[in-house]
Amino acid sequence: MIYLDNAASTPVHQKVVDEMIPYFGEQYGNPSSIHKLGRAANTAIQNSRKRIAELISADSKEILLTSGGTESNNTAIYGVASEGKGRHIITSSIEHDAILEPCKRLEKEGYKISYLPVDKHGLVDVNDVQKEISHDTCLITIMFANNEVGTVQPIKEIAYMAHKNNIIFHTDAVQAVGKIPINVNDIGIDLLSISSHKINGPKGVGALYIRKGISVAPLILGGGQENGLRSGTENVASIVGFGMACKLAKENMGQNTVHFKSLTSKLTARILSEIPQTNLNGHLEKRIPNNAHFTFLGVNGEDLIIKLDENKIAASTGSACSVRIQKASHVLRAMGFSHEQITGSLRLTVGTTNTEEEMNQTVDILKKVVQELRAVSPYKSKYNF
Ligand SMILES: Cc1ncc(COP(=O)(O)O)c(C=O)c1O
């Protein structure tokens, strides 16, 4: 299998697996227990928290461990909203559902939510953020990098705008962490969501960075773990794996970026020159290095995924994080794409284990299957295929 769906999830690194194994075996203590086994589990969690913090230049006390990006986003939104400092939230129209759905729920409860538009490259305009700010705005939440087209937002400028107006700034950085160096202090981020399984760690674990001094109400109540912000016995093995994944992501970011860029440039150059009537979507420069997103006119993206799968290539049309039902992408719609352009889209996201040879094989197969699908396309005569 050639795996080109690394934005959906990544293979767990062998060093991460090795680090986790003792916590399924002899290290079974509950981190809240006072005895030796409990203390060992607690120490493992604190060491991981430090590794997670280091990846974003935070302090380990500012890391709240969660079950992943979805919970981190929900905690940021409900957690800030529950503090009662205002009933207006600013977000963008291209966020992941883990932001949009909690916002919709708050809307039903009477909150006002502003969904900012984006341009054809998927970029938010900082002036639009400014225009929406009101005395009632309690939170601005804008994603760092988009999960479908990879566009990277002007996060530093938006954070600056938020703070100038005394508003808390959150960013869903699930797709950006490990791909772009992030220093929460330099950028001025108050809350930041991370997910382990996007950076070669295990699934079902993540973190919310909470800047010292920012109050967030807990979503889950109980025994008071995580400083009372998230009760429940910690998922020790996964947290340990996540910590190792962060350590590796930090150590290897430079070489990974070079590798990702080289693979996506190769893919893009060959696809655009060898497959006619094809576009690269997203911003040309302001994008995460591992994402390449295309529209093949006259082709149905789902049929393309199935054909690629038959040829042992794993790809995606876009967001695949919730259920297998494909809905028309709200991201591409917000970018002004027509229905036909939306249905003809394909996302290829590379990872650490991909090779140049795989990129060449992918383009060779893609050329063949796009041609086959266009031969039977209802748009055959319209586009002269
Ligand atoms: C931008 C973004 N936010 C949030 C999530 C959800 O993260 P998790 O799968 O860890 O819940 C994803 C998953 O794809 C994502 O891409």
Side-chain angles (χ1 to χ4, degrees):
M1 196 83 188
I2 299 179
Y3 186 74
L4 295 176
D5 200 12
N6 286 274
S9 201
T10 53
V12 181
H13 196 290
Q14 190 53 49
K15 285 189 182 166
V16 170
V17 176
D18 295 344
E19 193 88 351
M20 291 171 74
I21 283 175
Y23 297 90
F24 294 111
E26 69 271 24
Q27 295 291 351
Y28 50 80
N30 183 323
S32 296
S33 299
I34 292 169
H35 50 68
K36 197 171 170 201
L37 273 177
R39 291 198 312 275
N42 185 45
T43 303
I45 290 180
Q46 302 322 331
N47 289 342
S48 293
R49 201 187 301 279
K50 193 158 177 287
R51 287 174 166 176
I52 299 160
E54 278 167 1
L55 180 58
I56 54 168
S57 302
D59 188 288
S60 57
K61 291 194 195 75
E62 298 172 307
I63 299 296
L64 169 67
L65 295 162
T66 68
S67 65
T70 301
E71 186 188 324
S72 298
N73 285 346
N74 275 261
T75 306
I77 292 172
Y78 290 127
V80 171
S82 306
E83 288 291 305
K85 302 228 170 81
R87 290 176 73 78
H88 175 224
I89 293 174
I90 300 174
T91 187
S92 84
S93 47
I94 61 160
E95 299 293 314
H96 190 273
D97 283 343
I99 291 286
L100 295 177
E101 290 299 320
C103 282
K104 276 192 219 158
R105 167 84 67 90
L106 285 178
E107 238 173 344
K108 282 193 191 135
E109 291 171 19
Y111 283 76
K112 183 181 169 221
I113 314 286
S114 302
Y115 299 95
L116 299 178
V118 291
D119 69 11
K120 62 178 179 187
H121 305 296
L123 267 182
V124 166
D125 184 337
V126 186
N127 295 320
D128 287 338
V129 181
Q130 182 162 34
K131 277 185 222 152
E132 288 300 321
I133 291 175
S134 80
H135 66 280
D136 207 23
T137 312
C138 61
L139 177 71
I140 298 178
T141 173
I142 303 287
M143 71 199 320
F144 210 117
N146 183 262
N147 46 304
E148 292 190 35
V149 293
T151 303
V152 175
Q153 302 298 340
I155 292 300
K156 195 168 181 171
E157 288 86 337
I158 300 172
Y160 177 78
M161 183 82 67
H163 293 151
K164 216 171 83 179
N165 291 278
N166 237 343
I167 299 165
I168 295 174
F169 178 67
H170 167 254
T171 186
D172 172 353
V174 164
Q175 295 291 345
V177 166
K179 316 288 178 328
I180 306 175
I182 296 177
N183 181 322
V184 285
N185 298 309
D186 286 354
I187 303 175
I189 293 165
D190 298 317
L191 302 165
L192 176 142
S193 302
I194 317 178
S195 174
S196 153
H197 73 107
K198 311 289 182 176
I199 54 167
N200 306 100
K203 293 168 184 59
V205 61
L208 178 66
Y209 157 77
I210 306 176
R211 175 178 294 284
K212 191 169 175 273
I214 301 283
S215 298
V216 173
L219 284 189
I220 301 171
L221 303 175
Q225 288 89 343
E226 293 293 293
N227 269 329
L229 281 178
R230 191 203 190 244
S231 290
T233 302
E234 298 87 340
N235 183 354
V236 184
S238 293
I239 292 168
V240 165
F242 179 26
M244 183 47 131
C246 288
K247 180 176 184 287
L248 294 171
K250 186 173 164 69
E251 284 169 3
N252 302 330
M253 191 160 342
Q255 76 192 54
N256 283 348
T257 303
V258 172
H259 181 58
F260 295 157
K261 271 193 185 151
S262 139
L263 297 181
T264 49
S265 315
K266 175 121 209 156
L267 260 183
T268 305
R270 275 200 65 196
I271 288 175
L272 294 183
S273 69
E274 297 177 35
I275 308 180
Q277 305 191 70
T278 302
N279 288 315
L280 174 70
N281 303 319
H283 198 281
L284 272 187
E285 290 108 38
K286 293 173 189 167
R287 67 188 305 138
I288 37 174
N290 67 327
N291 173 297
H293 188 285
F294 304 94
T295 297
F296 300 93
L297 269 189
V299 172
N300 182 306
E302 272 176 59
D303 294 342
L304 192 52
I305 304 291
I306 293 164
K307 285 258 182 198
L308 288 174
D309 192 38
E310 283 166 8
N311 283 278
K312 298 192 168 50
I313 296 174
S316 154
T317 53
S319 178
C321 287
S322 45
V323 278
R324 277 198 207 111
I325 303 160
Q326 296 285 339
K327 49 179 186 167
S329 160
H330 65 281
V331 175
L332 299 181
R333 207 179 321 119
M335 287 164 65
F337 282 42
S338 66
H339 179 72
E340 196 184 319
Q341 286 169 319
I342 295 174
T343 49
S345 66
L346 177 76
R347 179 184 73 181
L348 302 174
T349 45
V350 300
T352 50
T353 53
N354 289 122
T355 63
E356 195 158 313
E357 174 55 24
E358 287 180 336
M359 300 305 108
N360 283 325
Q361 285 173 15
T362 300
V363 181
D364 293 341
I365 291 165
L366 201 52
K367 270 167 77 172
K368 182 174 75 86
V369 296
V370 168
Q371 207 169 24
E372 283 167 14
L373 290 171
R374 280 180 172 166
V376 293
S377 165
Y379 302 106
K380 193 171 180 294
S381 51
K382 180 173 172 191
Y383 295 116
N384 228 357
F385 292 139

